[in-house]
């Protein structure tokens, strides 16, 4: 784990950056969990809260992609979607490259300051079926809006080698050695083979779209309303924004929202019903939904284990999926494609 001295250094650097770049006088600052980046909760002298995001040095190299992500956040905010407001620097920039030493020598990092959205993550909340319906509907509305995004740099969203793209689910095989000795390794191998033989030939029938790519249970914020229900108050983290397919977004959302739900099999139909109230899936997309959900579960578990070994300081956060993922994967596989999809499609009517 990071030493106390290192944590203090990070907080001091973040405080200085916030004041220097944004003219914000920091009253309180604390670190927030993140997969690869440095996130800070900042409170100014008026009590206004912000999120300072320092993007990891590797992803900070791709400034064209970061500019499109920033554009997408601003675009969605202007179209009434519950996303953060990007705060401009004192010189009017929505993102800024800053050279500093975060413990690995001097490197260049992309910095953003964004508004704070109140609420709890879905990972911390039990959602009703009605809540899940509205989540599915909102994610579909977001993706529909994203198709209107205009920029000469949209081509940066197409990355055929991205290991997190569901098109590239078979790339999981290259990382499977991290599961040596785990009985789940064999199940994942079989699932990947089924993906290759069943899903791959149908991908050409999937409709391409710009998608968020990571609508997981920690990237969606909800706030309680009456009768135990919740409304979505925030969609976070556009770092996996990509040129993918509509059905990938549905599968990703279903998978992550099943993880901590007390009735995981009830999630798919509710999300799908909400989604299809905005965008209907076609026959090929529906036919592959189960294996796409399983595919994302395999990706999340295997890449999680790989990254946890690579970044042991952040193991707890990275292995978020692993805790319930093994149980969920076993359950889905035991029930099988026909039974699970039958429930989802019946519930979605």
């Amino acid at each position: 784990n990071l030493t106390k001295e290192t944590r203090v250094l990070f907080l001091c650097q973040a405080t200085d950056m916030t004041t220097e770049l944004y003219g914000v006088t920091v009253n309180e600052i604390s670190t927030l969990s993140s997969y690869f980046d440095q996130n800070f909760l900042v409170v100014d002298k008026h009590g206004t809260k912000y999120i300072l995001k320092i993007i990891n040095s590797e992803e900070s190299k791709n400034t064209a992609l970061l500019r499109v992500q920033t554009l997408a956040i601003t675009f969605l905010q202007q179209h009434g979607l519950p996303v953060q407001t990007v705060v401009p620097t004192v010189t009017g920039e929505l993102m800024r490259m800053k050279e500093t030493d975060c413990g690995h020598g001097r490197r260049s990092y992309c910095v953003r300051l964004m508004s704070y959205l109140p609420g709890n993550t879905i990972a911390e909340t039990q959602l009703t079926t009605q809540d899940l319906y509205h989540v599915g509907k909102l994610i579909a509305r977001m993706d529909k809006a994203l198709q209107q995004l205009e920029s000469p740099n949209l081509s940066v969203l197409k990355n055929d080698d991205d290991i997190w793209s569901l098109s590239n689910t078979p790339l999981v095989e290259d990382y499977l050695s991290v599961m040596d000795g785990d009985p789940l390794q064999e199940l994942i191998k079989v699932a990947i083979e089924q993906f290759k033989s069943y899903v791959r030939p149908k991908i050409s029938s999937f409709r391409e779209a710009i998608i968020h790519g990571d609508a997981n249970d920690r990237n969606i914020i909800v706030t309680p309303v009456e009768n135990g229900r919740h409304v979505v108050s925030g969609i976070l983290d556009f770092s996996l924004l990509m040129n993918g397919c509509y059905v990938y977004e549905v599968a990703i959302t279903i998978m992550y929202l099943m993880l901590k739900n007390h009735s995981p099999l009830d999630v798919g139909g509710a999300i799908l019903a909400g989604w299809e109230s905005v965008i209907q899936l076609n026959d090929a997309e529906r036919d592959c939904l189960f294996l796409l959900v399983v595919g994302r579960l395999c990706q999340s578990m295997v890449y999680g284990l790989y990254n946890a070994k690579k970044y042991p300081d952040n193991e707890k956060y990275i292995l978020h999926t692993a805790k319930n993922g093994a149980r969920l994967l076993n359950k889905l596989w035991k029930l099988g494609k026909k039974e699970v999809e039958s429930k989802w499609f019946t519930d979605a009517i």
Side-chain angles (χ1 to χ4, degrees), residues 62-325:
N62 194 344
T63 52
L65 177 58
L66 292 169
R67 288 189 196 288
V68 171
Q69 291 169 4
T70 307
L71 175 70
I73 298 167
T74 307
F75 175 84
L76 291 172
Q77 199 260 340
Q78 290 167 349
H79 281 71
L81 276 296
V83 297
Q84 293 164 291
T85 302
V86 184
V87 180
T89 64
V90 288
T91 53
E93 298 164 286
L94 293 180
M95 57 177 251
R96 177 73 179 270
M97 300 307 296
K98 178 74 176 169
E99 195 174 285
T100 189
D101 188 343
C102 287
H104 307 284
R106 289 192 75 78
R107 293 182 183 179
S108 193
Y109 298 89
C110 175
V111 181
R112 280 196 209 111
L113 187 70
M114 294 182 286
S115 60
Y116 171 83
L117 298 177
N120 292 312
T121 65
I122 287 180
E124 305 165 284
T125 315
Q126 278 302 312
L127 298 188
T128 66
T129 303
Q130 204 171 357
D131 293 341
L132 291 165
Y133 172 91
H134 287 294
V135 170
K137 185 173 185 176
L138 183 66
I139 299 297
R141 276 184 53 220
M142 173 181 68
D143 281 7
K144 195 170 184 179
L146 281 172
Q147 307 326 302
Q148 311 305 316
L149 190 66
E150 290 182 358
S151 164
N153 299 316
L154 289 182
S155 59
V156 297
L157 296 177
K158 191 161 184 65
N159 178 1
D160 295 333
D161 302 320
D162 187 351
I163 62 168
W164 285 105
S165 168
L166 273 167
S167 295
N168 293 332
T169 300
L171 293 180
V172 165
E173 289 177 319
D174 298 341
Y175 297 80
L176 264 180
S177 60
V178 297
M179 298 197 77
D180 285 350
D182 187 327
L184 210 59
Q185 187 188 54
E186 204 51 46
L187 193 161
I188 291 174
K189 283 181 182 174
V190 175
I192 300 300
E193 287 307 314
Q194 285 210 15
F195 184 98
K196 286 193 277 191
S197 61
Y198 199 88
V199 178
R200 216 181 228 165
K202 294 184 171 67
I203 288 178
S204 59
S205 300
F206 298 167
R207 286 162 302 163
E208 286 192 18
I210 297 172
I211 63 171
H212 177 283
D214 199 17
N216 70 48
D217 54 337
R218 290 183 299 187
N219 284 340
I220 304 173
I221 304 282
V222 294
T223 48
V225 287
E226 74 286 343
N227 304 323
R229 289 184 49 245
H230 301 82
V231 293
V232 176
S233 50
I235 301 168
L236 310 176
D237 191 0
F238 285 76
S239 61
L240 285 183
L241 187 75
M242 65 175 75
N243 195 22
C245 300
Y246 280 133
V247 69
Y248 294 173
E249 193 85 284
V250 187
I252 289 164
T253 309
I254 290 173
M255 191 291 277
Y256 284 111
L257 269 56
M258 288 174 86
L259 275 178
K260 289 195 173 177
N261 194 286
H262 294 330
S263 305
L265 290 177
D266 293 339
V267 171
I271 295 286
L272 186 59
W275 175 277
E276 290 201 313
S277 72
V278 180
I279 304 168
Q280 280 279 331
L281 294 186
N282 66 34
D283 290 344
E285 291 163 344
R286 276 183 154 235
D287 194 26
C288 293
L289 189 57
F290 173 81
L291 286 171
L292 288 167
V293 169
V294 167
R296 183 43 154 235
L297 191 45
C298 293
Q299 286 179 325
S300 190
M301 291 185 66
V302 174
Y303 297 148
L305 279 169
Y306 174 80
N307 285 318
K309 288 185 177 182
K310 197 173 175 184
Y311 307 101
D313 286 347
N314 203 20
E315 180 181 51
K316 187 180 176 186
Y317 188 89
I318 290 172
L319 290 180
H320 168 75
T321 303
K323 194 175 178 185
N324 297 307

Side-chain angles (χ1 to χ4, degrees), residues 326-344:
R327 187 164 62 240
L328 180 59
L329 184 55
N330 275 310
K331 184 171 189 169
L332 289 173
W333 206 251
K334 190 176 179 183
L335 288 168
K337 177 183 186 308
K338 189 176 178 182
E339 187 171 336
V340 174
E341 285 185 343
S342 172
K343 176 165 177 54
W344 287 348

Side-chain angles (χ1 to χ4, degrees), residues 30-34 37-42 50-52 116:
S30 54
T31 55
L32 297 171
S33 300
S34 176
D37 304 326
Q38 292 287 335
N39 291 337
F40 301 90
L41 174 62
V42 175
Y50 303 92
I51 302 296
L52 180 74
Y116 171 83

